[in-house]
Amino acid sequence: MKLWDSNRYDDQGTMDESSPFDDLFKLSRTQRLYAFGIWMYAACSTTAQRGALDWYKPFHDATKPIFEKLYASVADGTETRRTLEKNSSPTYREELEEELREIRESEIWRAGKT
């Protein structure tokens, strides 16, 4: 089962598999991560498997609006404009490092390191 299948959104006016979204995010990265996730799921404890089975649907439902917003942002060019703007800054490297540090030091990433 695919959690994120752009074909299910076609009737809602989003893009098909040939969209620019594929280049930005979906095809290679998501499918590789999904395959890796299936392997990890099979290799974890039955407690973790139970949690995954019980919580995948609420997770999907909770994050669906975020992915729909991301699709729209790519379709209308917002993501391209932001990338060009951020990458054109004379202080790009410093700004990027600050953003990466913020993520690196966030609770979820610190918890994942242990």
Side-chain angles (χ1 to χ4, degrees):
M1 174 186 78
K2 283 181 162 180
L3 286 180
W4 305 111
D5 184 354
S6 65
N7 291 327
R8 28 186 317 191
Y9 300 111
D10 286 346
D11 63 330
Q12 297 173 11
T14 60
M15 301 163 281
D16 63 17
E17 290 291 337
S18 64
S19 72
F21 185 76
D22 295 337
D23 295 333
L24 177 68
F25 181 83
K26 188 174 182 254
L27 275 182
S28 63
R29 290 178 186 92
T30 304
Q31 290 180 359
R32 277 188 241 148
L33 286 172
Y34 182 76
F36 183 66
I38 292 297
W39 172 84
M40 286 179 55
Y41 163 79
C44 22
S45 69
T46 57
T47 303
Q49 289 175 348
R50 184 73 261 151
L53 291 168
D54 292 345
W55 286 96
Y56 88 88
K57 180 80 167 104
F59 175 81
H60 174 272
D61 294 345
T63 58
K64 182 179 177 186
I66 296 167
F67 276 84
E68 290 172 338
K69 186 176 179 181
L70 176 58
Y71 272 103
S73 183
V74 171
D76 70 14
T78 299
E79 293 302 313
T80 300
R81 283 188 298 279
R82 178 156 169 78
T83 299
L84 292 171
E85 176 186 301
K86 294 296 268 182
N87 292 356
S88 298
S89 170
T91 57
Y92 167 73
R93 287 286 175 199
E94 293 84 8
E95 293 168 14
L96 176 64
E97 182 51 40
E98 178 59 26
E99 289 179 296
L100 292 174
R101 183 193 60 73
E102 186 177 327
I103 291 172
R104 194 171 45 245
E105 293 177 4
S106 69
E107 182 180 1
I108 193 166
W109 288 103
R110 285 182 295 147
K113 284 176 70 174
T114 59

